[in-house]
Amino acid sequence: GPNNQDKSLSSDLDPILKLQGIPWLLRKTILFTPLTIQITHHTETTNDASGRTTMHLTARQTSIKAANPPPDIRHFDWEVYEQENFLFGGIVCRNRYIRGDSVSALAEVGGSAGGGGGSGDGDGVVRPAVEVQSLLKDGGDLVRRFLRGEVEVDGCTLSEGFLVEEPVVWGLFGEEGRGDGEGIWGHVFDRKKDGGWCSEQVWGFEMIHGERLYTRRAVVTDSTGGYRLARLVY
């Protein structure tokens, strides 16, 4: 169904839009325009022995105050493809679903020590097992912790992070639909076709003020490896 962006809970997107080269006046128009996102999806299953299922997702943004942009098309098979974006022009996309691995609460306090390689082991906290694709000048540990939901956008405050929920569609992770680990999250990586910036996101659900809300944790990097973090809440 439709999801309204909650700008009171979402990060300020002005620094990210500025990094992506959006002019000041257009940035202000975007920031003060209420948006609704409508997501639809369908699946395709291969006819070979793997029986692999691929999810295809279409996200349409609508607003009562502005013209509606073309839909955002996502194929969750980790194949590279191109699409046109009304703000940025040509973008190159890759998308996939990822499972979770566990990290101890002690490791989270001191910084992520990487995944545990599987499901939680008692006191472990399950987080998305995201392999960061962005090229970052500081090595990317903070970015990885944020995308996994270990810390908030300030990079310091510990976060309860994403809810751990199982797939509702069989076959996304092989014949039995399970694969290694727990949970399921969307991992989206875009780069501007003619260079300049990359965007990487993890999609899932979080409990915020006692309510289950759809969120997108994002990092946008420039050509020097500098970056900005943001969380969008719907």
Side-chain angles (χ1 to χ4, degrees), residues 1 3 37-44 53-61 70-77 81 83 93-97 168-169 172 184-188 190 201-205 214-216 234:
N3 296 276
I37 185 170
Q38 176 79 44
I39 297 176
T40 58
H41 59 81
H42 71 278
T43 60
E44 292 182 356
T53 297
T54 298
M55 179 75 75
H56 303 277
L57 182 149
T58 300
R60 291 180 170 85
Q61 287 190 359
D72 181 24
I73 309 297
R74 298 288 167 179
H75 310 297
F76 282 84
D77 54 10
Y81 67 98
Q83 66 173 323
C93 311
R94 295 182 80 188
N95 319 285
R96 62 182 170 184
Y97 286 111
V168 295
V169 176
L172 294 176
I184 180 171
W185 296 271
H187 180 204
V188 172
D190 296 338
Q201 302 181 31
V202 174
W203 299 356
F205 289 88
Y214 172 55
T215 67
R216 297 180 175 186
Y234 297 87

Side-chain angles (χ1 to χ4, degrees), residues 2 11 16 30 54 57 64 67 103 107 118 121 127 132 137 163 178 203 212 233:
S11 303
I16 280 183
I30 294 170
T54 298
L57 182 149
I64 61 174
V103 60
D121 55 0
R127 305 287 190 182
V132 177
K137 61 184 178 183
L163 296 174
R178 295 187 180 276
W203 299 356
R212 176 180 176 271
V233 180

Side-chain angles (χ1 to χ4, degrees), residues 12 36 211:
D12 179 11
T36 298
E211 187 175 1

